[in-house]
Amino acid sequence: MVRKGGPRRPRGSRDEETVRAVNRLLVERPLDITQLRKVAAIRGLVSDSLRARVWPVLLGVEAPLAGEGTTFAARAAAGHKDSNVVACDVERSLWSFTEGWSEEERAAKRAALRRVLDAAVGGNASGVFYYQGLHDIAAVLLFVLGSELAAYRTLRALASTHLRDCTRPDLGAATETLSLLYPILEQCDPELYGYLQGLQEPALEVPYFALSWYMTWFAHDVPSLGQIARLFDLFLSSHPLMPLYVAAVAIKGNRQQVLACGADGLAAYDTLKRMRFLQPGQPTADELAQQAAALYQAVPPAQLARQRGIQLEHSAAIDAYLSCGRWHVPAEPRAARRRFAQQTVLQLQALLRGQPSKAASKAVGVGTAAGSQRRAAVAAAVLTSVTGLAAMGALLLAQLQAGNWGPR
Amino acid sequence: MAAQPGLQPEPDYTFKILLVGDSGVGKSSLLLRFATGGFEELVPTIGVDFKAKVVQLGGKTVKLTIWDTAGQERFRTLTSSYYRGAQGIILVYDVTRAETFDSLADIWLREVDMYNTVDECIKMVVANKTDLAEQREVSTDVGVQFARAHGCLFVETSAKGNVAVEQAFEELVLKILETPSLLASSSSTFGLKAKQPEAASSCCG
């Protein structure tokens, strides 16, 4: 909808230019990941063959690991907590991407999708869990990247970075992150935001209508693979909260329908929940991506949270940071990191004050054996504290790096 | 849109109904069949869906807002807030998967007890997918006994074969209509929590 000033060159020549630029970037050494992310986010990657080469690079998983095939097969075969749900979801998936296929072809693709999902979340102790909706993202990866191994590698990386808040054992972190949609919408369309708040509709209290957009990167709601792939170009290049910025600009694009609901809060909820994207006459995926990126530049998540005094305890995505040109997400949310820091401080204090009084009261009978035990305990405490301090330093560094905002 | 504007009289009552049960038992299909009369292969529900339908029953015009929840365990933190204010709760299992029946006792009835806020709320057990007779794992008798033991209505349905779906919803609504305390709780506040009575302005049309 928003047209930048100046005449636009025809699509074809712009695409050719993009392909040339990306090809050049891919052979350059050292790789300029930042530039690659910028091109992918703002111009889009034009074709699936180009995406198949660039997407893994954006996440740093372009090189197959030694013995990957064997690990993949073993993980795909091993069961996990949600194996049944995966089976159930895959069985009713891929309808929109397999129009005109035979049942056998579709069944084969579904079997591949199931292997990718089971391998991505299975056989690991990193606390990554399957959620309904991850299969929508996996399907896009499988179709665009073309190979199970590439899809598996990419999905596994996403599950512990961009999708980290969604792959936790419950929905707490994802819900908290999702709640940032309202402040983002307020920046994007204050009037519409004011209208929704004024409705005081309980069903709109948390923007759950946008849950599937956020958790599936719109793959659950948009049937066109080409359009979805263009949005994925943006998401893979950007801060993990970028889907919320796309959601905000998409809602703004449908504002008339929402406002037409008047005082009927449930109708507004229903309109938002059933909102159609990327229809003829609506902004294209390319336009949505550009508008969302511009909105992000204007108010990045951490700045927004600071301005509004929003404290997120369970979300790790809010603290995503750039390192070596790529987006990373802390393994633990802020609350867990603070707990860790507090424990370290307590340990240090205990160490400096000496042992607790219980030990002192027994001190009369203390012999050499007890003394050496105590020395060992002190050494252990020092070691733990030093490790803790190092970890805190690393966290601090990570936070500082988070000052670098993408997709720039 | 929530209701068919212009065609229906103002409803006498508005009831909130909730569909719960394991993933893939057919909650969304039952709702689609009831609300639109159709059936299609559906994808999993992410979060919570919602449909409204106005029905004429027992001489009354009743607006139903039916909330359809995701079945996966992790979504329960979300769906728990949707129990509040529900006059009717439909617990669905798949007759071809015994584990989905076991979940009613192990999980879903407990959730209902824990989160439901309406005393005398009507519960109904729906045994779905009866069209898959050869793969059946849970017999009608077992279902009936379970429902009776837990004070629930019981209906066997096939959303795909269009068997008894409308009947199930109607039976539930009629039972609600017979329960005076539920009629008293019917109002426009069928949302997640009591709404502020202040009129929401829509100055910005």
Side-chain angles (χ1 to χ4, degrees):
Chain A
M1 296 299 225
V2 175
R3 286 252 176 257
K4 300 256 170 69
R8 278 206 166 170
R9 267 163 301 150
R11 184 81 233 183
S13 80
R14 183 173 181 261
D15 286 353
E16 281 167 28
E17 212 175 84
T18 307
V19 174
R20 269 199 304 278
V22 171
N23 277 326
R24 219 173 24 245
L25 282 165
L26 281 173
V27 293
E28 246 176 44
R29 289 296 177 273
L31 266 174
D32 188 348
I33 305 285
T34 306
Q35 192 55 29
L36 203 54
R37 279 197 300 110
K38 201 168 172 178
V39 174
I42 304 304
R43 302 180 71 105
L45 291 171
V46 182
S47 73
D48 284 358
S49 59
L50 201 58
R51 292 187 171 109
R53 292 166 64 207
V54 176
W55 284 5
V57 176
L58 294 173
L59 298 175
V61 293
E62 65 273 28
L65 300 165
E68 190 180 58
T70 322
T71 325
F72 172 74
R75 283 188 172 143
H80 56 91
K81 183 174 151 284
D82 296 295
S83 299
N84 285 341
V85 187
V86 170
C88 191
D89 289 351
V90 166
E91 206 42 54
R92 41 186 177 155
S93 67
L94 303 183
W95 291 113
S96 47
F97 299 163
T98 59
E99 232 171 283
W101 288 32
S102 71
E103 270 309 308
E104 291 76 35
E105 287 171 312
R106 191 177 288 126
K109 203 70 174 177
R110 282 179 176 160
L113 178 62
R114 189 171 166 183
R115 285 191 292 272
V116 167
L117 282 164
D118 284 337
V121 301
N124 72 88
S126 60
V128 164
F129 296 92
Y130 174 77
Y131 63 90
Q132 293 192 298
L134 189 65
H135 71 297
D136 289 313
I137 290 183
V140 174
L141 297 179
L142 185 60
F143 272 81
V144 171
L145 300 177
S147 99
E148 284 179 46
L149 277 179
Y152 151 74
R153 225 182 296 135
T154 310
L155 187 64
R156 207 171 159 77
L158 280 178
S160 56
T161 55
H162 288 67
L163 302 173
R164 187 63 193 106
D165 286 342
C166 301
T167 57
R168 292 195 182 278
D170 62 47
L171 219 61
T175 301
E176 199 182 74
T177 308
L178 182 70
S179 67
L180 282 178
L181 175 58
Y182 280 142
I184 295 171
L185 181 65
E186 186 181 11
Q187 296 290 327
C188 174
D189 190 337
E191 187 199 355
L192 188 59
Y193 167 79
Y195 162 74
L196 290 176
Q197 290 302 302
L199 287 173
Q200 301 194 357
E201 168 56 49
L204 289 170
E205 199 179 324
V206 178
Y208 282 132
F209 59 83
L211 189 71
S212 69
W213 311 344
Y214 166 56
M215 293 184 84
T216 74
W217 286 5
F218 296 86
H220 190 72
D221 304 87
V222 176
S224 150
L225 186 58
Q227 302 259 40
I228 276 299
R230 172 62 188 95
L231 288 182
F232 273 42
D233 292 339
L234 172 70
F235 297 147
L236 287 159
S237 312
S238 310
H239 189 287
L241 295 190
M242 187 56 86
L244 298 181
Y245 289 80
V246 171
V249 297
I251 293 171
K252 186 181 181 179
N254 285 271
R255 70 195 306 275
Q256 292 311 332
Q257 282 162 269
V258 182
L259 292 171
C261 297
D264 189 342
L266 268 185
Y269 173 89
D270 198 38
T271 305
L272 286 163
K273 179 80 185 129
R274 280 178 220 296
M275 211 172 87
R276 306 286 296 277
F277 304 93
L278 308 166
Q279 302 292 305
Q282 287 185 317
T284 61
D286 204 39
E287 287 166 332
L288 276 187
Q290 290 173 21
Q291 291 170 21
L295 180 61
Y296 174 93
Q297 295 286 0
V299 272
Q303 184 186 325
L304 193 69
R306 245 194 331 271
Q307 278 173 4
R308 307 289 301 269
I310 299 168
Q311 296 282 344
L312 298 189
E313 292 290 305
H314 307 289
S315 166
I318 183 81
D319 292 324
Y321 59 94
L322 279 168
S323 170
C324 301
R326 293 190 177 94
W327 281 104
H328 295 259
V329 173
E332 293 297 336
R334 211 172 280 187
R337 281 177 282 152
R338 195 167 45 234
R339 259 199 314 279
F340 177 73
Q342 281 165 350
Q343 277 167 4
T344 310
V345 168
L346 285 176
Q347 274 176 353
L348 268 174
Q349 284 174 344
L351 183 73
L352 293 174
R353 275 200 221 103
Q355 294 301 297
S357 54
K358 201 167 72 178
S361 67
K362 280 190 176 176
V364 183
V366 168
T368 46
S372 77
Q373 246 176 25
R374 179 171 169 171
R375 273 194 298 280
V378 168
V382 168
L383 205 65
T384 322
S385 307
V386 168
T387 323
L389 278 177
M392 275 170 73
L395 284 172
L396 199 66
L397 263 179
Q399 297 283 7
L400 286 176
Q401 276 166 333
N404 268 328
W405 295 115
R408 185 172 292 186
Chain B
M1 200 81 340
Q4 299 88 330
L7 298 174
Q8 306 282 352
E10 273 296 297
D12 298 307
Y13 299 110
T14 299
F15 296 143
K16 178 180 176 183
I17 293 172
L18 190 67
L19 282 156
V20 298
D22 279 1
S23 204
V25 296
K27 298 180 291 295
S28 304
S29 295
L30 286 165
L31 179 53
L32 185 72
R33 176 64 86 184
F34 177 65
T36 72
F39 179 85
E40 52 187 273
E41 298 291 343
L42 290 176
V43 296
T45 305
I46 314 281
V48 176
D49 272 344
F50 150 85
K51 279 193 169 61
K53 181 168 177 166
V54 177
V55 294
Q56 306 282 337
L57 272 176
K60 301 286 180 195
T61 302
V62 180
K63 181 180 176 185
L64 304 175
T65 62
I66 309 166
W67 299 81
D68 172 25
T69 62
Q72 196 192 3
E73 189 185 350
R74 63 168 48 245
F75 288 100
R76 271 181 233 149
T77 45
L78 183 168
T79 54
S80 62
S81 58
Y82 286 82
Y83 285 85
R84 270 178 265 162
Q87 286 91 359
I89 295 175
I90 301 179
L91 303 118
V92 188
Y93 69 91
D94 171 354
V95 295
T96 70
R97 287 194 290 146
E99 74 270 18
T100 66
F101 174 71
D102 297 337
S103 291
L104 294 192
D106 297 345
I107 297 162
W108 298 110
L109 274 173
R110 290 183 189 192
E111 295 272 307
V112 172
D113 288 344
M114 204 178 315
Y115 297 113
N116 172 46
T117 57
V118 177
D119 292 340
E120 296 196 88
C121 143
I122 308 297
K123 290 174 285 184
M124 169 180 267
V125 171
V126 166
N128 192 36
K129 303 199 190 180
T130 54
D131 52 292
L132 302 172
E134 287 173 14
Q135 298 162 42
R136 192 191 259 268
E137 290 183 4
V138 186
S139 72
T140 305
D141 277 354
V142 169
V144 168
Q145 277 167 25
F146 174 84
R148 196 173 294 154
H150 292 90
C152 305
L153 302 171
F154 179 80
V155 179
E156 286 200 325
T157 61
S158 164
K160 192 172 189 176
N162 197 11
V163 177
V165 177
E166 201 156 334
Q167 179 200 326
F169 280 94
E170 286 179 4
E171 209 177 314
L172 182 72
V173 172
L174 285 171
K175 189 79 182 172
I176 296 173
L177 283 169
E178 287 169 12
T179 313
S181 72
L182 295 179
L183 298 185
S185 76
S186 159
S187 68
S188 60
T189 65
F190 45 76
L192 306 185
K193 65 176 190 197
K195 216 168 170 177
Q196 306 281 316
E198 175 203 333
S201 73
S202 61
C203 51
C204 33

